[in-house]
């Protein structure tokens, strides 16, 4: 009796936390998204106005498109930069200790504060920042580059800086699992470096890329810190929109946006899972 | 691998540039926080000194830094304690098959990948609807747990996967009960691992921003306070504070890694 009941007792505290602070809040977001805001507070209701507002407002639709733009750019850059880094670690670093050590070197910044990591870019990218100073002094440019900070460029740079490890780690993991004898066999059969990469390494690392992409999607879609700090006033994202709406106490509207955001995010994640089966990686 | 090819050197340079990209900005503010009193927010540096590091601890220059730090410290310890207890229990539960384990596992993953702002908004709405006051030690604590618990749980699963069950079975055969087996056998073996997970959990909480942002109530945690400072503090004191708190969490991380490596080594032998 106790034996079959024991696991449930053991998982109870953790499940209770998730029930209270994850499931219940998400359900409440769904409920409140149908409520109304009367100017002071929210009032229970069943109205689709919040959703209608989202899909008919040009500003909101543009905000969503802008978020997708950030997502696409960050995804492409993290993949193109992250893959070679993971590949280098997995295939060119000779000893396991060195591989782990260099990998840890890459991960340390990701455990520290996101806010500080964003602030760190300010003295580099600002109008009088280091990059502009160096470029001006070397005579390459005569006017400071304005697009470096408080721009879409800065937002994408910041997000790549914050989140690229979430692409590198799963790719590194799947590259490390590739049976090295496969590569030796292919080489013995006369395959060149490019063919080995295309026929063996790339397909076998696809699940890693899929997991990394899922992380990037979920991180970027709700992002507002980087958009605030690096994007200046103009840059828009759904996360920032939600945060602004809460600032003016419009909880039902923010909730409706959150539901749409979650729906879109899940849709992208599911389509990634359709293309690639990641279950064997878990 | 075979002899060093051209691609090795190309990728080596690429990797070096990547590490520079990762650490460069942080090193920049470390350097800028070591300026004399005439320091500004950007280069060139006129004089070096510890002036701004000292300014961090004088409240009037940089707003209130000491109290948010105290709150973040306390919150981190609370989160750590709850996370450790809950994740150890849950991961021990997962060593036995039971109905619904799949649901619980995916719930954990979901907690990790649901966009953080939704967690914050959801908890904020719950407190609003219930008419409760949001506070760092209530709603903030819950928000942190949705982030630290899944991470700790997944690491604990890994630790228990490598765990040799023979010791426990031996203890049981000799007549030890569940509690005795845990305290006498399991706990000493996973102890160093717990220390690592605890440190990691503490830093995750200490640096958490997005999930706390909407539910911290009137009193800010340190990351929220720093976020607020970005708009009104225009002296290198901001960098100095950034440097100090980064060094603080980075050293905890290193400590966590070291203990984790230690426990892996110990379990292998």
């Amino acid at each position: 009796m106790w034996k079959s009941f024991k696991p449930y007792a053991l998982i109870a505290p953790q499940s209770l936390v998730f029930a209270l602070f994850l499931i219940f809040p998400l359900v409440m977001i769904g409920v409140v998204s149908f409520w109304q805001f009367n100017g002071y507070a929210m009032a229970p209701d069943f109205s689709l106005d919040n959703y209608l507002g989202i899909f008919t407002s040009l500003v909101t639709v543009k905000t969503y498109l802008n978020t997708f733009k950030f997502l696409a750019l960050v995804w492409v850059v993290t993949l193109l930069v992250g893959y070679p880094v993971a590949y280098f670690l997995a295939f060119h670093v000779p000893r396991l200790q060195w591989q782990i050590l260099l990998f840890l070197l890459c991960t340390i910044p990701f455990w520290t504060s996101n806010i500080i990591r964003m602030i760190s870019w300010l003295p580099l990218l600002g109008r009088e920042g280091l990059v502009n100073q160096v470029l001006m002094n070397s005579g390459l440019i005569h006017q400071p580059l304005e697009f470096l900070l408080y721009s879409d460029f800065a937002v994408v740079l910041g997000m790549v800086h914050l989140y690229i490890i979430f692409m590198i780690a799963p790719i590194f993991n799947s590259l490390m699992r590739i049976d090295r004898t496969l590569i030796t066999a292919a080489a013995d059969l006369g395959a060149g470096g490019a063919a080995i990469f295309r026929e063996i390494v790339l397909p076998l690392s696809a699940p890693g890329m899929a997991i990394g992409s899922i992380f990037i999607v979920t991180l970027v879609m709700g992002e507002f810190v980087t958009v605030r700090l690096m994007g200046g006033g103009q840059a828009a994202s759904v996360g920032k929109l939600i945060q602004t709406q809460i600032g003016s106490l419009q909880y039902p509207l923010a909730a409706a946006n959150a539901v749409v955001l979650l729906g879109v995010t899940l849709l992208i994640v599911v389509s990634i899972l359709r293309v690639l089966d990641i279950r064997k990686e878990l | 691998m075979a002899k060093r090819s051209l691609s090795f050197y190309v990728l080596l340079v690429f990797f070096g540039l990547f590490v520079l990209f990762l650490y460069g900005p942080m090193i920049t503010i470390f350097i800028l926080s070591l300026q004399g009193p005439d320091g500004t927010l950007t280069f060139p540096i006129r004089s070096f000194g510890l002036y701004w590091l000292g300014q961090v601890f004088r409240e009037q220059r940089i707003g209130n830094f000491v109290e948010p730090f105290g709150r973040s410290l306390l919150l981190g310890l609370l989160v750590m304690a709850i996370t450790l207890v809950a994740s150890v229990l849950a991961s021990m539960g997962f060593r036995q098959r039971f109905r619904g384990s799949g649901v619980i596992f995916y719930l954990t993953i979901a907690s990790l990948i649901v966009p953080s702002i939704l967690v914050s908004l959801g908890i904020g709405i719950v407190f609003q609807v219930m008419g409760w006051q949001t506070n760092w030690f209530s709603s903030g604590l819950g928000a942190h747990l949705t982030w630290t618990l899944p991470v700790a749980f997944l690491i604990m699963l890994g630790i228990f996967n490598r765990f040799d069950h023979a010791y426990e079975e031996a203890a049981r055969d000799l007549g030890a009960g569940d509690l005795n087996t845990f305290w006498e056998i399991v706990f000493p073996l996973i102890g160093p691992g717990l220390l690592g997970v605890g440190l990691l959990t503490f830093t995750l909480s200490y640096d958490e921003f997005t999930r706390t942002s909407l539910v911290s109530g009137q009193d800010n945690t340190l990351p929220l306070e720093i976020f607020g400072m970005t708009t009104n503090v225009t002296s290198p004191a901001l960098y100095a504070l950034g440097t100090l708190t980064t060094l603080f969490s980075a050293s905890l991380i290193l400590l966590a890694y070291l203990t984790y490596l230690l426990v892996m080594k110990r379990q292998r032998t």
Side-chain angles (χ1 to χ4, degrees):
Chain A
M1 183 61 206
W2 165 243
K3 193 151 171 43
S4 60
F5 178 70
K6 200 170 84 175
Y8 295 102
L10 289 171
I11 60 162
Q14 175 162 321
S15 307
L16 186 71
V17 169
F18 287 142
L20 278 179
F21 293 107
L22 184 72
I23 300 178
F24 186 43
L26 288 180
V27 170
M28 283 308 286
I29 290 180
V31 172
V32 167
S33 70
F34 296 106
W35 289 13
Q36 287 283 18
F37 180 68
N38 61 16
Y40 316 98
M42 48 188 168
D45 197 351
F46 185 80
S47 132
L48 292 173
D49 286 0
N50 299 318
Y51 289 99
L52 282 177
I54 291 172
F55 292 111
T56 52
S57 151
L58 197 62
V59 180
T60 317
V61 172
K62 267 191 181 158
T63 306
Y64 273 87
L65 290 179
N66 211 39
T67 311
F68 289 133
K69 186 182 75 183
F70 285 141
L71 174 61
L73 288 169
V74 173
W75 181 69
V76 168
V77 177
T78 48
L79 192 59
L80 289 183
V81 175
Y83 199 98
V85 169
Y87 186 87
F88 173 78
L89 287 175
F91 285 104
H92 282 306
V93 177
R95 302 223 332 253
L96 185 65
Q97 283 110 311
W98 278 101
Q99 287 176 318
I100 293 176
L101 195 74
L102 288 178
F103 180 71
L104 292 185
L105 182 74
C106 294
T107 56
I108 288 171
F110 295 89
W111 295 101
T112 62
S113 163
N114 282 2
I115 306 291
I116 306 288
R117 293 178 67 204
M118 286 303 95
I119 292 172
S120 310
W121 281 106
L122 304 181
L124 286 175
L125 300 178
R127 241 185 93 86
E128 275 137 39
L130 194 61
V131 173
N132 269 327
Q133 281 181 26
V134 169
L135 288 176
M136 298 260 279
N137 288 341
S138 66
L140 281 172
I141 53 169
H142 301 288
Q143 295 226 308
L145 298 174
E146 298 279 353
F147 75 88
L148 287 177
L149 193 58
Y150 305 131
S151 62
D152 287 358
F153 166 81
V155 173
V156 173
L157 183 82
M159 288 190 196
V160 169
H161 192 234
L162 285 187
Y163 303 132
I164 192 166
I165 195 68
F166 295 97
M167 188 61 105
I168 294 176
I171 295 179
F172 176 64
N173 181 42
S174 57
L175 287 176
M176 291 293 280
R177 287 179 182 203
I178 295 178
D179 190 345
R180 298 301 196 264
T181 53
L182 285 176
I183 294 170
T184 319
D188 287 348
L189 292 170
I196 291 176
F197 180 74
R198 201 179 55 238
E199 301 290 333
I200 295 173
V201 177
L202 201 57
L204 286 176
S205 58
M209 288 193 269
I211 295 177
S213 306
I214 291 174
F215 276 125
I216 296 291
V217 170
T218 57
L219 287 165
V220 174
M221 285 306 284
E223 167 53 75
F224 75 91
V225 182
T226 316
V227 181
R228 281 253 147 166
L229 281 177
M230 307 282 282
Q234 309 88 340
S237 76
V238 184
K240 189 177 157 191
L241 182 69
I242 292 176
Q243 199 222 9
T244 315
Q245 283 165 345
I246 292 164
S248 53
L249 296 176
Q250 294 182 312
Y251 282 94
L253 201 53
N257 262 311
V259 171
V260 176
L261 176 68
L262 188 61
V264 172
T265 309
L266 285 179
L267 206 66
I268 305 176
V269 170
V270 168
S271 30
I272 294 174
L273 291 177
R274 282 245 149 160
V275 181
L276 286 161
D277 183 19
I278 61 163
R279 230 171 310 168
K280 54 180 176 282
E281 290 286 303
L282 293 172
Chain B
M1 299 249 37
K3 64 183 192 306
R4 300 275 154 88
S5 56
L6 175 66
S7 69
F8 170 80
Y9 292 102
V10 173
L11 284 171
L12 179 67
V13 171
F14 190 83
F15 182 77
L17 287 175
F18 174 71
V19 172
L20 186 68
F21 165 73
L22 273 190
Y23 285 86
M26 218 100 98
I27 293 168
T28 315
I29 67 158
F30 288 0
I31 295 171
L32 284 175
S33 64
L34 293 175
Q35 298 181 91
D38 54 358
T40 61
L41 279 177
T42 180
F43 292 95
I45 290 173
R46 295 179 188 83
S47 63
F48 283 97
L50 297 176
Y51 179 78
W52 296 105
L53 291 175
Q55 285 299 314
V56 169
F57 299 97
R58 300 223 180 117
E59 293 190 15
Q60 69 276 14
R61 281 307 282 246
I62 185 164
N64 201 344
F65 149 75
V66 180
E67 280 177 28
F69 176 72
R71 278 194 283 271
S72 277
L73 217 57
L74 195 60
L75 181 59
L77 290 173
L78 268 173
V79 169
M80 182 176 82
I82 298 174
T83 303
L84 277 181
V85 173
S87 66
V88 168
L89 290 177
S91 53
M92 287 183 69
F94 265 73
R95 296 196 298 168
Q96 189 176 331
R97 281 216 187 138
F98 62 95
R99 277 174 73 101
S101 63
V103 176
I104 301 291
F105 183 77
Y106 283 109
L107 184 62
T108 311
I109 302 287
S111 186
L112 208 56
I113 67 171
V114 165
S116 302
I117 190 162
L118 292 195
V119 176
S120 204
L121 171 68
I123 296 175
I125 284 180
V126 167
F127 273 65
Q128 186 84 9
V129 170
M130 297 291 179
W132 298 334
Q133 180 67 45
T134 51
N135 255 315
W136 58 271
F137 51 79
S138 55
S139 46
L141 175 72
H144 280 208
L145 288 176
T146 63
W147 175 226
T148 55
L149 248 184
V151 175
F153 172 72
L154 291 177
I155 300 176
M156 287 314 301
L157 278 188
I159 289 178
F160 275 119
N161 264 341
R162 293 186 175 83
F163 189 83
D164 192 346
H165 296 273
Y167 298 118
E168 269 172 289
E169 276 158 29
R172 285 226 173 79
D173 288 348
L174 293 171
D178 277 345
L179 271 181
N180 250 331
T181 315
F182 180 78
W183 284 117
E184 300 287 333
I185 308 291
V186 180
F187 186 73
L189 283 171
I190 61 170
L194 282 185
L195 186 64
V197 176
L199 287 168
L200 213 58
T201 304
F202 177 84
T203 19
L204 284 180
S205 160
Y206 176 79
D207 288 323
E208 213 296 320
F209 177 80
T210 311
R211 285 175 198 237
T212 335
S213 60
L214 306 174
V215 294
S216 74
Q218 293 165 329
D219 299 320
N220 279 341
T221 60
L222 188 60
L224 267 71
E225 190 74 15
I226 294 175
F227 183 72
M229 286 175 190
T230 54
T231 46
N232 54 34
V233 175
T234 51
S235 73
L238 181 65
Y239 300 151
L241 179 53
T243 302
L244 290 177
T245 163
T246 304
L247 287 180
F248 179 64
S249 35
S251 49
L252 291 183
I253 288 306
L254 282 176
L255 212 58
Y257 274 141
L258 289 180
T259 50
Y260 188 74
L261 291 180
L262 191 76
V263 83
M264 286 297 130
K265 210 177 194 176
R266 200 195 262 195
Q267 286 186 0
R268 226 171 275 140
T269 49

